[in-house]
Amino acid sequence: MKQHPITQAVRIQTSRTKEMEHSTPLFLTSSFCFEDAEEMRAAFAGENDNNIYSRFSNPTVQEFIDKMCALEGTEAGFATSSGMSAIFGCFMAFLNSGDHLLSCKSIFGSTHTIVTKYLHRWKIDYSYADINKPETWESLIRPNTKLIYVETPTNPGLDIVDMEWLGKLAKKHGIILIVDNCFATPILQKPAEYGADLVLHSATKWLDGQGRVLGGVVVGREDLIRELYLFCRNTGPSLSPFNAWILSKSLETLDVRIHRHCDNAEALVKALDNHPKLNWIKYPFHPSHPMYAIAKKQMTRGGGLVTFDLKGGVEGGKKFMDALEMLSLTSNLGDTRSIASHPASTTHSKLSAEEQESVGITPGLIRVSVGLEHAADIIADIEQALEKS
């Protein structure tokens, strides 16, 4: 009987040991044994699927990967120690000296640092495309363009990329398309259905959902995952079995958690709409979002992140953050607990003022990762902080 991906996220499990445990076992080991020398030789020769070393593969890590493949609807995957190691692993596995990367301009601060500060060391060039001007993207493609990399929704601006259009553009030019699906999760959208060759996540965020462990995962075409695996098994950004066990258990509740996050985010947006202290509020499923129609086409709900711009600018942002009584001030997101951050002074502080402005980061921009507390308490804390900002 074919099971729904949500069921698979609950039921996919490493084979039971002789102890007949109901909860999935944790294989907290660095290496694996062999019955004899011939079996060991065959494993190292790739003639069997035996586990060798947890830097290469591990049953607990594989369980997490299998669940993510089921949720994203992809052929294969590889898990890494963090979201950034997943991103860097993809860049290094598929880009060679002389190649060109095309990326949306609106990307996470650390990704921006890799693209602008480090890729040139390997003579890899890049171009940034304006997410608001899709008609300009094709002109940026070169004969040596090997990857297109996008976030959707973007961090922190919550801009939306039309994945159907971009998937066709990448296919037309024979370019690998990588989509960072961290903000939406496979519960709200599945980029592979729109032509993404690889889909990656910082599992640290919504996939874990409780701010406990670091992790990353890339899923997609089997041939590409094989290349990524060969690079990563030799360079070492492997996911620890313990973190994989936590993440695999977390996926069992991902669906119910994401929908509660969305419920609370929608309630917050409704409460803050037209608030006198705000220039604007941005949420993918709010009709005022400039890409509202695209969001409705490719996402099932708007997600758990809300951004708004304070009329008080930087000083107003500081006053707002300091006035919060319940929301946490931390750089993470996707937690059970609501979190507020000021991107201009934290996650995207390495961008110049001009670069921040070009990706929609205003001095008074506040990003709220809406948690699982009662919606009325989240709203009350934000409203009282706004009054003091």
Side-chain angles (χ1 to χ4, degrees):
M1 179 177 68
K2 184 173 176 59
Q3 295 178 332
H4 191 281
I6 299 302
T7 301
Q8 291 179 292
V10 175
R11 283 290 175 176
I12 288 175
Q13 187 168 314
T14 305
S15 299
R16 289 193 180 106
T17 71
K18 62 183 179 62
E19 301 299 333
M20 294 300 291
E21 67 282 341
H22 186 234
S23 181
T24 189
L26 166 58
F27 289 88
L28 194 60
T29 181
S30 57
S31 62
F32 300 85
C33 296
F34 302 91
E35 292 290 345
D36 51 46
E38 172 55 25
E39 184 183 55
M40 190 173 185
R41 181 207 63 79
F44 275 83
E47 296 171 7
N48 61 41
D49 295 326
N50 290 21
N51 291 300
I52 298 172
Y53 195 55
S54 282
R55 174 157 54 86
F56 303 169
S57 63
N58 176 283
T60 306
V61 176
Q62 190 61 47
E63 178 183 295
F64 168 60
I65 293 169
D66 290 344
K67 288 184 175 183
M68 284 303 300
C69 288
L71 286 168
E72 288 283 10
T74 56
E75 298 172 340
F78 185 78
T80 63
S81 56
S82 69
M84 287 311 305
S85 62
I87 293 167
F88 185 68
C90 285
F91 289 170
M92 291 296 97
F94 302 111
L95 291 170
N96 294 309
S97 179
D99 286 344
H100 174 251
L101 166 73
L102 177 60
S103 170
C104 65
K105 188 183 297 184
S106 307
I107 52 175
F108 178 53
S110 294
T111 311
H112 170 77
T113 299
I114 289 175
V115 171
T116 59
K117 186 175 181 180
Y118 294 109
L119 287 187
H120 74 89
R121 295 185 179 186
W122 296 280
K123 294 182 173 57
I124 297 168
D125 201 3
Y126 73 93
S127 296
Y128 274 156
D130 189 336
I131 214 164
N132 297 302
K133 297 178 180 178
E135 70 279 2
T136 64
W137 284 51
E138 190 163 20
S139 66
L140 297 173
I141 294 174
R142 307 174 187 174
N144 60 334
T145 304
K146 296 298 172 61
L147 288 182
I148 297 176
Y149 175 83
V150 297
E151 300 174 6
T152 184
T154 61
N155 182 12
L158 300 184
D159 293 316
I160 306 295
V161 177
D162 186 337
M163 291 187 290
E164 183 178 17
W165 160 80
L166 188 57
K168 291 177 181 177
L169 180 66
K171 186 176 181 179
K172 174 183 175 182
H173 291 274
I175 301 169
I176 298 170
L177 173 59
I178 303 177
V179 175
D180 184 332
N181 197 27
C182 177
F183 273 23
T185 81
I187 302 303
L188 303 182
Q189 69 181 16
K190 300 181 190 295
E193 293 181 354
Y194 295 95
D197 299 296
L198 295 171
V199 181
L200 62 81
H201 292 263
S202 169
T204 312
K205 311 302 191 296
W206 304 106
L207 300 187
D208 172 29
Q210 296 183 58
R212 298 167 296 187
V213 298
L214 297 179
V217 63
V218 185
V219 299
R221 281 171 38 191
E222 189 171 12
D223 60 327
L224 297 178
I225 292 296
R226 178 65 181 173
E227 288 188 50
L228 177 65
Y229 162 75
L230 291 174
F231 175 80
C232 289
R233 69 172 277 173
N234 288 301
T235 52
S238 51
L239 179 63
S240 81
F242 177 77
N243 287 11
W245 185 82
I246 293 290
L247 292 168
S248 183
K249 297 297 290 182
S250 297
L251 292 183
E252 297 178 14
T253 62
L254 181 63
D255 180 63
V256 293
R257 287 189 287 106
I258 290 298
H259 285 293
R260 176 61 179 271
H261 285 295
C262 290
D263 289 343
N264 285 352
E266 290 165 5
L268 177 62
V269 170
K270 183 177 181 181
L272 296 183
D273 213 5
N274 299 314
H275 193 285
K277 289 293 185 80
L278 303 181
N279 289 317
W280 46 258
I281 186 168
K282 198 169 186 181
Y283 185 66
F285 268 35
H286 191 285
S288 66
H289 194 292
M291 300 164 188
Y292 173 73
I294 297 172
K296 293 282 283 188
K297 179 182 74 170
Q298 64 193 30
M299 299 175 69
T300 56
R301 298 189 73 179
L305 286 159
V306 177
T307 62
F308 49 80
D309 183 53
L310 293 164
K311 290 182 177 178
V314 173
E315 289 306 311
K318 290 178 181 178
K319 290 179 181 178
F320 171 83
M321 297 286 280
D322 289 341
L324 289 168
E325 297 175 0
M326 184 185 76
L327 269 69
S328 304
L329 308 189
T330 180
S331 62
N332 199 21
L333 61 91
D335 202 309
T336 53
R337 293 155 292 188
S338 294
I339 294 167
S341 67
H342 183 233
S345 64
T346 57
T347 55
H348 290 72
S349 60
K350 291 182 175 60
L351 276 66
S352 67
E354 293 76 17
E355 288 172 331
Q356 289 183 1
E357 183 180 1
S358 72
V359 295
I361 299 174
T362 57
L365 180 69
I366 300 295
R367 185 190 72 186
V368 177
S369 172
V370 184
L372 301 182
E373 305 96 343
H374 194 282
D377 292 327
I378 300 170
I379 294 166
D381 192 31
I382 290 174
E383 287 183 333
Q384 67 83 24
L386 284 173
E387 291 305 313
K388 299 172 184 176
S389 64

